[in-house]
Amino acid sequence: MKATSIVEFVRDTYKTDEFIPLHAPRFGGNEKAYVMETIESTFVSSVGKFVDDFERKIEAYTGTAKAVATVNGTAALHAALYMADVQRDDLVITQALTFVATCNALYHMGAEPIFVDVSPVSLGLCPKAMDAFLEENAEVTDVGCIHKKTGRRIKAVVPMHTFGHPVELDELVAVCLKWNITLVEDAAESLGSFYKGKHTGTVGEFGAVSFNGNKIITTGGGGMVLCKTKERGARAKHVTTTAKVPHPYEFFHDEPGFNYRMPNLNAALGCAQMEVIEQYLKQKRLLAESYKDFFNGTDFKFVTEPEYAQSNYWLNAIICPDKESRKDVLAVTNGAGVMARPVWQLMHRLPMYSNSIRGTLTNSEYLEAHLLNLPSSPNL
Ligand SMILES: *Cc1c(COP(=O)(O)O)cnc(C)c1O
């Protein structure tokens, strides 16, 4: 298939001659009105009714016991790992095929990543690969799961639902139980994605969502910690609000907290976006269907949701037959004002994670060389 025909298809689909970005935010509802309301009320900062409303909306939508809004998704993940009691010098299992924020969050807890392979079905962390790595390298002791060679504790695992496609969570939970490892989901890309009817980010002990400008809905910048119990939610709010003990005038903080609370200004945008999320999801599913039809029968493989899941199709992806064809598609699409990009470089290629412990990464390496993302905005 010719790369130019991909350009034609995307242009036909979006019906525009202008530049087509990978994922652009869209504001067609109450965004302006709600944001103006925060300004007129002067409650633009971290206290205000939109923060509470937005948290309640995310709780209702995801079915989580308690959601706590943060300044961004990385902060949500950082706070989640803090709540999960990841300690300095712990090891945390994750995937090498992810956005760098997954690793940065655990790194800033003083922990280090262990990279295991991703599943070719979900493109996210593979439970079998995790179990195989642990069988070879770990043992369960009184103090938890220990990496035998270094003697360090493997405290948690952070799977990431790549491009919105849910990982195999039942299998992952079983591996976590077997090895006494805490499951924290990086659901930054998967708001609106469900695993066997459960919203991503609600199966693990904690989940982190992002509302960055390129995500399915946006608050400008923002995130949310999803907590399994009300008690944990209360603590998440506490630690993201400098761990200040409530008092009419005294300043007393009972642990090293974060200043991670989402401002009301941003939450106003979030409330308006939640009013249209279903519509965005529908449009994104239609778009994914049309990509699927278009690539059907070609040597490019369109990535579809795993059969056990319902994906938000945040970013549409294709697997190119070889490196050369991907290079060609990238050059032709970008040259024609249709944005496409290769998947992230694997995390262990980055200088700060190059010495990390890792298992075999065959699927990750294949995807790194062949995967490409295409325009995915819900603006049909
Ligand atoms: C977007 C993203 C994040 C971080 O979200 P921010 O809101 O940008 O901090 C974390 N992990 C993954 C996989 C992401 O795609």
Side-chain angles (χ1 to χ4, degrees):
M1 188 171 73
K2 281 216 189 95
T4 48
S5 64
I6 299 179
V7 171
E8 274 165 37
F9 171 75
V10 176
R11 288 221 168 277
D12 279 356
T13 305
Y14 280 94
K15 298 184 180 56
T16 175
D17 295 328
E18 285 167 30
F19 173 74
I20 301 173
L22 206 59
H23 205 293
R26 198 178 120 187
F27 308 112
N30 287 317
E31 287 85 355
K32 223 177 195 169
Y34 293 172
V35 169
M36 284 308 290
E37 201 179 318
T38 67
I39 295 170
E40 276 152 19
S41 72
T42 77
F43 283 90
V44 293
S45 196
S46 55
V47 174
K49 71 164 195 170
F50 287 111
V51 177
D52 299 327
D53 279 2
F54 189 34
E55 289 177 342
R56 296 304 83 75
K57 280 190 158 77
I58 292 290
E59 284 161 11
Y61 183 72
T62 63
T64 198
K66 194 80 184 71
V68 175
T70 56
V71 286
N72 59 52
T74 313
L77 197 54
H78 193 197
L81 292 167
Y82 179 85
M83 300 272 299
D85 198 32
V86 170
Q87 301 275 338
R88 185 166 301 281
D89 295 331
D90 276 347
L91 297 168
V92 175
I93 297 174
T94 190
Q95 54 202 66
L97 187 84
T98 186
F99 178 58
V100 71
T102 315
C103 296
N104 291 345
L106 66 92
Y107 180 88
H108 289 297
M109 287 306 304
E112 273 188 74
I114 293 177
F115 298 118
V116 302
D117 211 359
V118 294
S119 143
V121 174
S122 71
L123 313 185
L125 198 134
C126 174
K128 280 203 196 85
M130 175 174 162
D131 190 50
F133 176 88
L134 293 168
E135 281 292 352
E136 205 178 316
N137 297 287
E139 62 188 346
V140 180
T141 72
D142 290 348
V143 294
C145 183
I146 297 296
H147 179 249
K148 287 192 276 192
K149 210 184 216 165
T150 59
R152 292 165 76 175
R153 182 173 71 152
I154 304 174
K155 175 61 189 168
V157 59
V158 186
M160 195 279 278
H161 305 291
T162 308
F163 310 141
H165 304 307
V167 303
E168 294 140 279
L169 282 166
D170 284 345
E171 290 80 0
L172 203 53
V173 167
V175 175
C176 286
L177 281 174
K178 174 178 167 192
W179 293 95
N180 192 13
I181 289 174
T182 306
L183 177 58
V184 176
E185 294 173 70
D186 183 345
E189 304 185 351
S190 60
L191 183 70
S193 298
F194 293 82
Y195 173 84
K196 298 185 181 172
K198 291 178 200 151
H199 195 279
T200 50
T202 67
V203 174
E205 297 307 312
F206 296 95
V209 179
S210 168
F211 309 109
N212 189 32
N214 63 347
K215 296 300 200 296
I216 183 151
I217 64 161
T218 187
T219 57
M224 200 80 82
V225 189
L226 307 183
C227 303
K228 265 201 154 147
T229 64
K230 288 220 174 352
E231 294 69 34
R232 285 186 194 173
R235 177 144 184 266
K237 192 153 231 170
H238 182 66
V239 304
T240 54
T241 317
T242 70
K244 185 180 181 296
V245 176
H247 188 280
Y249 48 85
E250 292 290 354
F251 284 100
F252 183 74
H253 307 258
D254 61 0
E255 59 184 305
F258 303 100
N259 178 16
Y260 278 172
R261 295 285 291 136
M262 176 187 281
N264 202 37
L265 198 56
N266 301 77
L269 216 49
C271 286
Q273 292 264 284
M274 277 309 282
E275 293 169 357
V276 292
I277 188 170
E278 290 296 351
Q279 193 188 323
Y280 288 3
L281 284 166
K282 259 191 217 130
Q283 292 178 344
K284 287 174 76 67
R285 183 160 285 272
L286 283 175
L287 178 64
E289 292 283 334
S290 58
Y291 273 126
K292 189 177 154 194
D293 291 346
F294 175 73
F295 286 108
N296 189 23
T298 73
D299 44 3
F300 292 83
K301 186 179 167 291
F302 180 72
V303 177
T304 53
E305 65 194 353
E307 36 125 73
Y308 53 76
Q310 192 184 331
S311 174
N312 65 2
Y313 281 101
W314 171 56
L315 276 193
N316 291 294
I318 51 171
I319 297 169
C320 303
D322 47 54
K323 287 182 190 179
E324 289 63 42
S325 59
R326 184 172 76 166
K327 218 168 144 187
D328 183 42
V329 172
L330 283 167
V332 171
T333 51
N334 286 294
V338 170
M339 191 171 166
R341 66 159 200 212
V343 72
W344 316 282
Q345 290 187 37
L346 299 184
M347 289 299 110
H348 67 276
R349 315 240 190 253
L350 307 181
M352 58 287 190
Y353 304 122
S354 62
N355 293 324
S356 303
I357 301 164
R358 50 187 180 264
T360 48
L361 301 175
T362 320
N363 295 332
S364 309
E365 281 162 5
Y366 184 83
L367 292 167
E368 179 191 38
H370 294 82
L371 204 145
L372 177 150
N373 291 117
L374 288 167
S376 302
S377 309
N379 63 351
L380 303 183

